[in-house]
Amino acid sequence: MSIVVSAEKQVQTMRVPLFVGNGEIKYGEKEIPVPGKGQLLLQVKGNALCGSERGQFYKGTRTTPGHEAAGIVAEVGKETRTLVGAHGVVFLMGYCGECRSCKLGFTNQCLHKHADYGFNHDGGYGPYMVVNENVFFEIDKSIPLIEATMLLDIMGTGGHAIKRAQLVRTDIQSVIIAGAGPIGLGVLAMVKLLLGKETVVFIMDFVQYRLDLAEKMGGIAVNLDIGTLEEAISTAGLAGADVAIDTTGKTAGRQTAMQALNKRGVLVCVGHGEELNLKVSSDLIMTERAVLGSEYFQYSELEENRKLIMENIPYLSQIITHRYKVEQIQEAFEIFFQGDTGKVVIEQ
């Protein structure tokens, strides 16, 4: 990281990665933002890579990406309560706090959202970012800031999908996860932490590296190049599963998971992307199955997950397999999209 003070304008600038497109990241300068009323300036210490940044990496963006940020408050704007030096993470969605959804706690479904940090507002791959105070979640300084990034897409998105399923099915004993990428591994971890270690979890993918990691974390790995989900379920002595969570966004993954559900089973779609084809009578009505969507998570869920991460850092930290400095961000993205990683984090 470098900070330059311009003698002409007396403006402080910072060196940031520029996503120029075609899978290339260069470096340039941007002004260090100044927090306004109700805002905080965060010195970013860690930001985790996410599959949703694929478009930014290959197509380019003028925004500095990074939506899984953790850091230290460096400066505060007017009418804020947070102290300089506070450690915390950034909730992706700049929710309004005033609409019907927000007042009920559904901050991930805000009706007047003003920001998606890292997508339409500069995010955490730069050394500093400005956020509204209401999206900053303060954490205990005993939690390492790199590991704290797991409070977001890993624990937050993963745990929310499980809670969505519990709205329909309260007696969950078995779970299918389509996709063993970072979100799939996060779902696996949160199943074990929220539902109990005895909960049977089948996790399917084509990447053996990720499946090996899933097995270490307590899942039953299904390499679809070698066998089928149906065979794995039968070998485990089951006829089907109670819940399926799709993190792939692929039609094939969703269909395979759907067909392996028990009666009263629930399919939760987390991954954006392709379609799901249903025969309403046999897939839904006769079996009383349900299909739900799950988008990110609610800000209030961070507190519950804060307690979980403090009790389970060694278990959860297995998901972070690669750590890079911001100067190595090109290499980090290339390796991440090749597939032989868990969660990849940029350190600053």
Side-chain angles (χ1 to χ4, degrees), residues 280-296:
V280 174
S281 292
S282 57
D283 289 338
L284 298 182
I285 296 174
M286 294 170 61
T287 53
E288 289 198 344
R289 291 174 180 152
V291 178
L292 303 176
S294 183
E295 174 75 340
Y296 203 48

Side-chain angles (χ1 to χ4, degrees), residues 303-334:
E303 178 57 30
E304 179 181 352
N305 291 338
R306 180 190 66 81
K307 296 175 183 177
L308 281 176
I309 197 172
M310 291 186 71
E311 297 169 356
N312 297 279
I313 285 181
Y315 175 66
L316 288 162
S317 64
Q318 296 178 89
I319 297 174
I320 300 176
T321 58
H322 295 69
R323 302 170 187 234
Y324 291 91
K325 299 299 182 183
V326 70
E327 294 80 9
Q328 301 170 297
I329 193 170
Q330 177 77 44
E331 180 184 355
F333 267 88
E334 290 175 356

Side-chain angles (χ1 to χ4, degrees), residues 9 98-99 103 116 120 127 136 193 217-218 229 236 239 246 282 296 316 321 329 334:
K9 296 183 179 180
E98 297 296 329
C99 70
K103 287 181 177 179
D116 280 322
N120 54 27
F136 179 76
L193 296 181
M217 298 186 68
L229 176 62
D246 173 63
S282 57
Y296 203 48
L316 288 162
T321 58
I329 193 170
E334 290 175 356

Side-chain angles (χ1 to χ4, degrees), residues 7-288:
E8 296 180 359
K9 296 183 179 180
Q10 294 297 307
V11 172
Q12 286 189 316
T13 64
M14 58 185 177
R15 187 168 184 258
V16 298
L18 305 176
F19 287 59
V20 298
N22 296 315
E24 184 178 6
I25 301 174
K26 297 183 178 181
Y27 295 89
E29 300 289 324
K30 283 189 176 182
E31 290 186 14
I32 296 177
V34 177
K37 178 182 175 181
Q39 293 184 323
L40 309 174
L41 178 67
L42 188 72
Q43 183 180 12
V44 180
K45 292 299 183 181
N47 195 104
L49 275 65
C50 180
S52 63
E53 293 163 341
R54 183 181 294 272
Q56 293 174 304
F57 182 59
Y58 288 109
K59 296 180 181 178
T61 176
R62 293 184 179 181
T63 301
T64 301
H67 61 274
E68 298 183 44
I72 302 171
V73 175
E75 188 177 337
V76 298
K78 294 180 180 179
E79 298 184 22
T80 55
R81 298 184 300 274
T82 306
L83 299 178
V84 170
H87 289 209
V89 296
V90 178
F91 185 76
L92 159 66
M93 298 180 177
Y95 62 93
C96 72
E98 297 296 329
C99 70
R100 178 184 178 187
S101 290
C102 287
K103 287 181 177 179
L104 291 171
F106 301 114
T107 50
N108 60 327
Q109 294 296 326
C110 175
L111 301 176
H112 305 295
K113 183 173 61 171
H114 58 76
D116 280 322
Y117 292 100
F119 291 102
N120 54 27
H121 284 59
D122 283 346
Y125 293 130
Y128 291 93
M129 64 184 294
V130 159
V131 300
N132 281 7
E133 186 179 38
N134 70 335
V135 302
F136 179 76
F137 180 77
E138 187 169 351
I139 61 171
D140 191 286
K141 292 181 180 180
S142 66
I143 302 174
L145 284 167
I146 299 303
E147 279 71 15
T149 61
M150 290 188 294
L151 285 165
L152 302 166
D153 274 7
I154 294 296
M155 298 180 72
T157 301
H160 186 69
I162 297 162
K163 293 169 187 174
R164 291 282 290 159
Q166 288 179 304
L167 294 174
V168 179
R169 185 81 188 244
T170 58
D171 60 326
I172 301 170
Q173 297 180 353
S174 52
V175 176
I176 296 165
I177 301 171
I183 297 298
L185 294 170
V187 173
L188 167 60
M190 293 303 282
V191 167
K192 296 296 184 177
L193 296 181
L194 295 177
L195 303 182
K197 294 180 180 179
E198 70 282 358
T199 307
V200 179
V201 182
F202 303 95
I203 183 165
M204 54 182 178
D205 207 304
F206 295 95
V207 181
Q208 191 59 49
Y209 179 97
R210 290 176 167 175
L211 291 171
D212 289 343
L213 182 53
E215 281 193 329
K216 287 176 59 180
M217 298 186 68
I220 298 174
V222 183
N223 188 325
L224 296 174
D225 275 334
I226 300 172
T228 68
L229 176 62
E230 183 180 22
E231 290 168 346
I233 292 173
S234 177
T235 299
L238 301 176
D242 298 331
V243 169
I245 299 177
D246 173 63
T247 69
T248 68
K250 302 294 185 182
T251 297
R254 291 172 176 166
Q255 299 289 158
T256 299
M258 180 76 177
Q259 296 307 314
L261 284 173
N262 290 323
K263 291 186 176 182
R264 298 189 297 114
V266 184
L267 171 64
V268 183
C269 297
V270 176
H272 291 269
E274 299 172 2
E275 71 276 1
L276 171 67
N277 303 308
L278 294 171
K279 296 179 180 178
V280 174
S281 292
S282 57
D283 289 338
L284 298 182
I285 296 174
M286 294 170 61
T287 53
E288 289 198 344

